Amino acid sequence: MELQNQLKALAEKVTKLKEQIETEESTKHAFVLPFISILGYDTYNPLEVFPEFTADMGLKKGEKVDYAIFQNGQPILIIECKNWKEDLNSHNSQLFRYFHTTKTRFALLTNGIEYRFYTDLEEPNKMDEKPFLEFQINQLKESTFQEITKFHKSNFDIDKIVDNASSLKYTKEIKKLIHEELQEASSGFVKLFANKVYSGRLTEKVMAEFKDLVHKALNQTISERVNDRLNAALNKEAEKQQEEALEVIEEKSKIDTTEEELEGYRIVVAILRRILPISRIVYRDTQSYFGILLDDNNRKPLCRLHFNGSTKYIGLIDEEKNETRKPLQALEDIYQYEKELLATVNYYED
């Protein structure tokens, strides 16, 4: 939860400051280094966060990646940063070269707003073309928080992240394809369904007809599933409300308001009517006590009458809404507590 709150705070900072950030260097210090710090790494310790890490390749010397995060003396994540205004699509080839020359299994390309995490699922020590984890800091989803947590210093486990990366990467690609098919079904997708329900020859005319049918059927199926889930949730809430209403009715059916309690209420009204309209002094009877309230508000108890036992009590309410019970020999004894009852009204009115 703490990491989630920190990321949300960083997202707010990015949104607020980005228009004032002009350079790549400013982007690093204002957006990227705070992100690294949130992951639990000491950005002031070069043994953990190494800036301008050398990643020479063959005869090409002086190649440097912006940051390398180290653990136990080995680089575990290299980070290439760009200005927040730059499109990252044109920069992954540079990171691709750096990845090949280091021993790390993970690389991050970021402009401080968009983050792309890469690994080598398809070929060892060769960075995949597509990231396995991709997000924008100001559009984080609940599931993304859980993936980012895996890169925290206290949780970092190469094998676990790599195992999960495969699932993340291909799930993301499948979701992308589904989204594209929902937008406009491809001929192969249309054929998949047409072959199962149509026995004739799939002519151009038939395919055009089935393209519309598949598109309509897909959207109707999704809408129906969403509606079914909404209705199930609404029905569950309605059942809960009905059960609560029945409980209230059942509780009320067990309440027996006695003439003695009503007489006690009338005495309290006689005392308080000097400073309150009668309409504001309301009673609610419960199984355990007879409550007298200001403005029919449970948060404004004036007093409580406990007449169910052999000894009768009046419950007086202090400024902290604590109740103190006083025994009553007769109903007329309520008049003895006129001062306390009037003071209780003043607690609320003041």
Side-chain angles (χ1 to χ4, degrees):
M1 183 59 74
E2 183 182 356
L3 180 137
Q4 187 169 332
N5 291 335
Q6 290 175 332
L7 288 171
K8 287 180 178 178
L10 177 59
E12 291 173 4
K13 178 184 176 183
V14 169
T15 303
K16 183 179 179 181
L17 296 181
K18 65 179 183 178
E19 297 300 335
Q20 301 170 45
I21 301 297
E22 296 293 336
T23 66
E24 180 180 304
E25 202 63 29
S26 297
T27 300
K28 292 179 189 177
H29 286 90
F31 301 157
V32 180
L33 282 175
F35 178 80
I36 296 172
S37 181
I38 288 172
L39 292 181
Y41 300 99
D42 185 356
T43 55
Y44 295 101
N45 182 357
L47 299 180
E48 271 194 13
V49 181
F50 195 116
E52 296 296 312
F53 179 65
T54 301
D56 291 338
M57 181 177 179
L59 298 175
K60 195 167 186 179
K61 302 297 181 181
E63 293 282 290
K64 295 181 184 295
V65 65
D66 289 312
Y67 299 104
I69 295 180
F70 277 72
Q71 192 175 79
N72 299 323
Q74 295 295 327
I76 58 172
L77 174 66
I78 58 172
I79 304 172
E80 182 64 16
C81 308
K82 298 300 171 186
N83 189 308
W84 72 269
K85 297 178 182 179
E86 289 194 42
D87 184 351
L88 295 182
N89 290 328
S90 58
H91 294 290
N92 62 340
S93 59
Q94 186 179 10
L95 189 60
F96 183 91
R97 295 198 309 273
Y98 296 157
F99 188 95
H100 185 66
T101 62
T102 65
K103 296 180 181 180
T104 182
R105 293 294 305 275
F106 304 106
L108 168 61
L109 177 62
T110 181
N111 58 11
I113 296 177
E114 187 176 355
Y115 288 76
R116 298 179 182 180
F117 285 83
Y118 297 83
T119 188
D120 55 352
L121 293 172
E122 296 175 8
E123 191 174 334
N125 202 32
K126 183 178 179 181
M127 191 181 89
D128 299 337
E129 288 187 11
K130 295 180 180 178
F132 68 89
L133 177 61
E134 190 174 1
F135 60 85
Q136 291 195 19
I137 194 72
N138 53 358
Q139 296 178 15
L140 286 172
K141 298 179 181 178
E142 197 67 35
S143 57
T144 308
F145 285 121
Q146 299 173 12
E147 299 307 325
I148 297 173
T149 301
K150 294 183 174 69
F151 281 91
H152 193 277
K153 181 180 177 180
S154 61
N155 301 321
F156 191 87
D157 185 308
I158 291 178
D159 294 333
K160 286 182 179 179
I161 298 176
V162 170
D163 290 343
N164 191 52
S166 177
S167 173
L168 279 175
K169 178 179 178 180
Y170 297 120
T171 299
K172 179 166 71 76
E173 292 300 313
I174 292 169
K175 285 168 68 176
K176 181 181 177 183
L177 289 173
I178 291 173
H179 179 73
E180 291 172 355
E181 296 293 355
L182 286 171
Q183 296 288 66
E184 185 174 359
S186 64
S187 59
F189 194 71
V190 174
K191 280 183 181 179
L192 174 67
F193 293 96
N195 281 326
K196 291 182 180 293
V197 298
Y198 184 74
S199 57
R201 183 166 165 266
L202 296 179
T203 63
E204 187 175 334
K205 182 180 178 181
V206 172
M207 283 292 291
E209 182 181 351
F210 265 96
K211 186 172 184 177
D212 290 337
L213 292 173
V214 169
H215 180 76
K216 186 184 295 183
L218 277 173
N219 284 284
Q220 285 180 355
T221 300
I222 292 171
S223 296
E224 287 167 4
R225 292 203 64 178
V226 170
N227 286 332
D228 287 344
R229 295 193 69 174
L230 284 173
N231 289 332
L234 289 172
N235 290 336
K236 189 174 181 180
E237 182 63 25
E239 289 174 5
K240 181 181 177 183
Q241 291 177 357
Q242 189 175 12
E243 288 175 2
E244 290 174 350
L246 288 172
E247 288 175 3
V248 171
I249 293 171
E250 186 179 352
E251 184 178 344
K252 286 184 176 179
S253 68
K254 296 177 181 178
I255 297 171
D256 180 22
T257 302
T258 65
E259 182 56 38
E260 199 171 31
E261 288 171 331
L262 292 174
E263 182 60 28
Y265 166 68
R266 286 191 279 269
I267 293 173
V268 173
V269 170
I271 294 170
L272 299 181
R273 65 183 299 177
R274 290 161 38 197
I275 59 172
L276 284 175
I278 295 175
S279 60
R280 296 185 66 191
I281 309 168
V282 181
Y283 74 80
R284 285 195 204 173
D285 200 0
T286 70
Q287 285 183 262
S288 54
Y289 61 83
F290 183 95
I292 301 176
L293 310 171
L294 177 63
D295 299 328
D296 200 16
N297 189 334
N298 266 333
R299 291 177 295 178
K300 295 181 178 181
L302 294 169
C303 68
R304 292 169 183 158
L305 304 180
H306 300 271
F307 288 1
N308 294 333
S310 55
T311 303
K312 297 177 177 55
Y313 298 90
I314 180 171
L316 301 173
I317 310 299
D318 65 19
E319 193 169 3
E320 302 297 325
K321 295 185 182 179
N322 297 315
E323 180 187 5
T324 302
R325 295 189 186 186
K326 300 291 184 180
L328 301 172
Q329 299 299 323
L331 290 179
E332 290 76 13
D333 291 349
I334 294 174
Y335 286 106
Q336 298 176 17
Y337 302 104
E338 176 179 339
K339 180 181 176 182
E340 289 85 348
L341 291 169
L342 292 171
T344 300
V345 174
N346 290 329
Y347 298 149
Y348 304 127
E349 294 296 273
D350 289 344

